[in-house]
Amino acid sequence: MDLVIRGARVIDGSGRPSYRADVGLDGGRIAAVRRQGDPALSAGRTLDAHGLALSPGFIDMHAHSDLALLRDPAHEAKAAQGVTLEVLGQDGLSYAPVDDRTLDAVRKAITGWNGGAPGDTSVDFDWRTVGEYLDRLDRGIAVNAAYLIPQGTVRMYAVGWDDRPATAEELTRMKQLVAEGLEQGAVGMSSGLTYTPGMYAGDCELTELCRVVAGYDGYYCPHHRSYGAGALQAYEEMISLTRDAGCALHLAHATMNFGVNKGKAPDLLALLDQALDAGADISLDTYPYTPGCTTLVALLPSWASEGGPEAVLARLKDDESAERIRHHMEEIGADGCHGVPVEWDTIEISGVSDPGLAGCVGKTIAQSAAQRGEASWVTARRLLVDDRLGSTILQHVGHEENVRQIMRHRVHTGGSDGILQGDKPHPRAYGTFPHYLGRYARELGILTLEETVAHLTSRPAARLRLPDRGLVREGYRADLVLFDPDTVAAGSTFEAPRALPAGIPHVLIDGRFVIEDGSRTDVLAGRSVRRADRTSA
């Protein structure tokens, strides 16, 4: 064999009790698992793993590394956490499928998530289709990646930025684009229903697209219409339309945020249990933190974003339109802010595209406004215009008791929702998975270590329909993590968000060391993970 890992505490991903074993790897697969007392394994290389736990590689069910994987070959943000597979194309906005016009618009729209604004040459956008993007990943990336077709980008491509129902011809075109993306390897479809232009789609349109996804045995992953004032109704909407479409549902960053939802996690879990007991195919992901992260422009009302980024900037520069935006945000509760009037003291600037605005980073809008002696909206408006909508924010609106209750649920999985852009990104981008293991399993006992590993490995692998990942089992892919259960912890904090985790000395992808003795190697073992080849129903 290529390698034998001796004496590890195997936490195999099933949720069952751990055990001591030697694990042999050969040809990128787990060739043998021998418990104590079984015949010994021999190999060209042996790794002494006494004192360490061996688990399947962690699967990040909600990642925003669409460009980072291409721009940053090391990708330590995820590799050092033990992540061996990320799911990209999230929240309805990403970079395939596109034509030249759509690509330019989407680059502008999600600069705050991924960088890559027009004029940024750090990535060569030499693809247009989903298949071409996946082929680009296959040239060599740090960790494996699966892709969701972004419904907002598809609508941008076929309809544009108009707030109106799609015509029959446009809907047919969108269904074709979704089908083509699935045939080329996407695992499902995402939506961002508080982001334009995806949020302009009605339920009938989304249901028709989900029927296409269901025909390829994919899943629908919506960032639904509200995590605030209308959260439960938004969850119900997604359950209902996927039931009508016969489509599997995965709820993205399934939180209950803002003051209106404090203590309401049991209401969400009861809703999910009712649907699951009735036969629905539902899963969800969360990150183990209370603040959220998005772009500042995302908080604006949807009507203000109609027409695309340049139209937004024009409205912000017009005093009458800007006052109407302020009124919706501060007094009514904009749909972009989940129907809740914005509280500027909860909105912290985490990153800017223009280096000249770096002085705003780390301060709330309210703090920056107070320093300038002006109203918070005046500061926010100026920042939106001067940074050309490229500012990223932390939104301090979560509740710890909701976070803990949701992560216990029977269909829960882990997702970082990690935005890697900005001078002060959310620490979840660098710390989600060790934070689950160290803080919530070891320190708080919210889940056992075995349960936690199952949430981060076999459960997401099952959602992705991956028959040979997510478990330490003979014949499975050798995507593995060795960590110290006594010391594993997130290094990243809100003050030092890019600090790497502790207690994860080894990470292997395809049987090759991506992290060895705590350091990143030069191995690029990651590739695209494509939907299994099935015939559309």
Side-chain angles (χ1 to χ4, degrees):
M1 296 184 188
D2 297 329
L3 173 69
V4 170
I5 301 170
R6 293 207 187 279
R9 173 187 171 187
V10 176
I11 304 176
D12 68 5
S14 69
R16 292 190 288 271
S18 59
Y19 56 88
R20 296 285 174 190
D22 297 344
V23 177
L25 312 182
D26 194 52
R29 298 272 177 175
I30 299 171
V33 179
R34 299 288 171 82
R35 300 195 185 212
Q36 289 181 331
D38 291 343
L41 298 171
S42 61
R45 180 180 177 186
T46 298
L47 175 66
D48 185 353
H50 288 85
L52 298 177
L54 175 68
S55 80
F58 306 133
I59 299 176
D60 188 342
M61 286 296 289
H62 194 102
H64 288 282
S65 303
D66 306 48
L67 300 185
L69 274 169
L70 302 177
R71 183 189 297 120
D72 174 21
H75 201 47
E76 284 188 305
K78 296 300 177 65
Q81 292 185 61
V83 171
T84 58
L85 171 59
E86 299 183 279
V87 185
L88 313 176
Q90 299 287 349
D91 294 328
L93 289 167
S94 190
Y95 306 95
V98 293
D99 55 13
D100 292 348
R101 172 189 55 83
T102 306
L103 177 60
D104 183 71
V106 78
R107 288 179 68 178
K108 292 176 182 176
I110 53 175
T111 296
W113 291 0
N114 298 316
D120 180 346
T121 59
S122 62
V123 173
D124 180 8
F125 289 84
D126 60 352
W127 67 86
R128 293 297 181 268
T129 69
V130 170
E132 289 169 351
Y133 176 70
L134 297 177
D135 289 344
R136 176 66 182 277
L137 298 179
D138 283 341
R139 297 181 198 173
I141 48 179
V143 305
N144 297 309
Y147 189 73
L148 295 167
I149 300 166
Q151 170 260 330
T153 300
V154 167
R155 197 174 213 271
M156 197 187 307
Y157 192 134
V159 181
W161 291 86
D162 297 341
D163 182 2
R164 62 170 176 80
T167 66
E169 182 180 356
E170 289 165 343
L171 180 56
T172 296
R173 181 60 177 139
M174 285 190 282
K175 291 168 68 175
Q176 289 173 342
L177 290 168
V178 171
E180 289 168 2
L182 290 160
E183 288 169 359
Q184 292 163 12
V187 296
M189 182 180 75
S190 75
S191 282
L193 300 179
T194 64
Y195 301 128
T196 55
M199 69 190 304
Y200 299 143
D203 284 0
C204 290
E205 180 179 316
L206 294 172
T207 301
E208 286 300 304
L209 297 179
C210 283
R211 287 197 174 104
V212 177
V213 175
Y216 289 87
D217 201 21
Y219 69 93
Y220 180 44
C221 179
H223 166 127
H224 50 266
R225 298 191 194 275
S226 176
Y227 290 82
L232 283 175
Q233 293 86 350
Y235 283 113
E236 289 173 347
E237 177 191 9
M238 296 299 100
I239 292 169
S240 176
L241 76 83
T242 50
R243 181 182 61 239
D244 291 346
C247 186
L249 173 64
H250 181 84
L251 296 165
H253 38 61
T255 57
M256 294 288 286
N257 287 341
F258 302 91
V260 295
N261 288 318
K262 184 176 176 62
K264 289 189 176 181
D267 297 338
L268 168 61
L269 301 182
L271 175 66
L272 295 177
D273 284 336
Q274 182 180 17
L276 288 163
D277 291 345
D281 183 358
I282 302 174
S283 54
L284 60 89
D285 65 68
T286 70
Y287 46 83
Y289 299 88
T290 53
C293 182
T294 188
T295 56
L296 183 58
V297 67
L299 305 185
L300 271 57
S302 56
W303 59 262
S305 295
E306 186 176 7
E310 294 304 321
V312 179
L313 288 167
R315 292 186 182 100
L316 288 166
K317 292 174 183 177
D318 177 75
D319 288 343
E320 183 176 345
S321 296
E323 171 55 24
R324 186 179 169 210
I325 293 171
R326 183 208 64 79
H327 177 73
H328 272 80
M329 293 184 71
E330 293 188 343
E331 299 178 34
I332 297 176
D335 47 5
C337 197
H338 307 276
V340 177
V342 66
E343 296 176 331
W344 294 114
D345 60 348
T346 69
I347 308 301
E348 178 186 352
I349 301 300
S350 60
V352 291
S353 295
D354 183 348
L357 300 170
C360 298
V361 174
K363 300 173 185 174
T364 67
I365 294 291
Q367 288 170 335
S368 289
Q371 289 178 353
R372 299 179 66 94
E374 62 190 17
S376 293
W377 167 245
V378 174
T379 297
R381 178 188 177 191
R382 178 184 293 110
L383 183 58
L384 284 162
V385 171
D386 290 351
D387 206 27
R388 295 192 60 80
L389 314 181
S391 304
T392 308
I393 62 170
L394 301 182
Q395 201 167 7
H396 296 272
V397 293
H399 306 287
E400 179 67 17
E401 66 272 29
N402 285 349
V403 170
R404 295 186 187 188
Q405 290 188 54
I406 293 169
M407 74 170 61
R408 292 191 184 103
H409 195 265
R410 54 177 158 150
V411 297
H412 170 266
T413 68
S416 70
D417 197 9
I419 293 175
L420 300 168
Q421 284 294 110
D423 296 322
K424 192 174 180 287
H426 197 303
R428 68 193 186 194
Y430 284 74
T432 288
F433 295 88
H435 201 48
Y436 267 119
L437 298 169
R439 175 65 173 161
Y440 286 90
R442 183 182 65 241
E443 296 178 8
L444 297 176
I446 302 300
L447 297 165
T448 68
L449 194 56
E450 287 86 352
E451 288 170 333
T452 304
V453 168
H455 285 224
L456 307 180
T457 59
S458 63
R459 286 191 186 180
R463 164 51 68 220
L464 294 167
R465 309 282 198 260
L466 301 177
D468 58 356
R469 300 177 196 259
L471 292 169
V472 178
R473 184 170 294 173
E474 292 180 2
Y476 275 53
R477 292 183 179 270
D479 295 352
L480 301 167
V481 181
L482 283 152
F483 65 92
D484 184 340
D486 296 329
T487 64
V488 63
S492 60
T493 64
F494 287 99
E495 293 72 32
R498 287 191 169 89
L500 298 178
I504 304 179
H506 304 292
V507 180
L508 299 96
I509 295 178
D510 198 35
R512 301 163 66 193
F513 284 95
V514 174
I515 301 290
E516 187 171 13
D517 295 324
S519 297
R520 180 70 173 92
T521 70
D522 61 0
V523 169
L524 297 178
R527 295 294 184 271
S528 67
V529 174
R530 308 193 187 208
R531 185 192 61 82
D533 185 20
R534 299 185 181 97
T535 301
S536 177

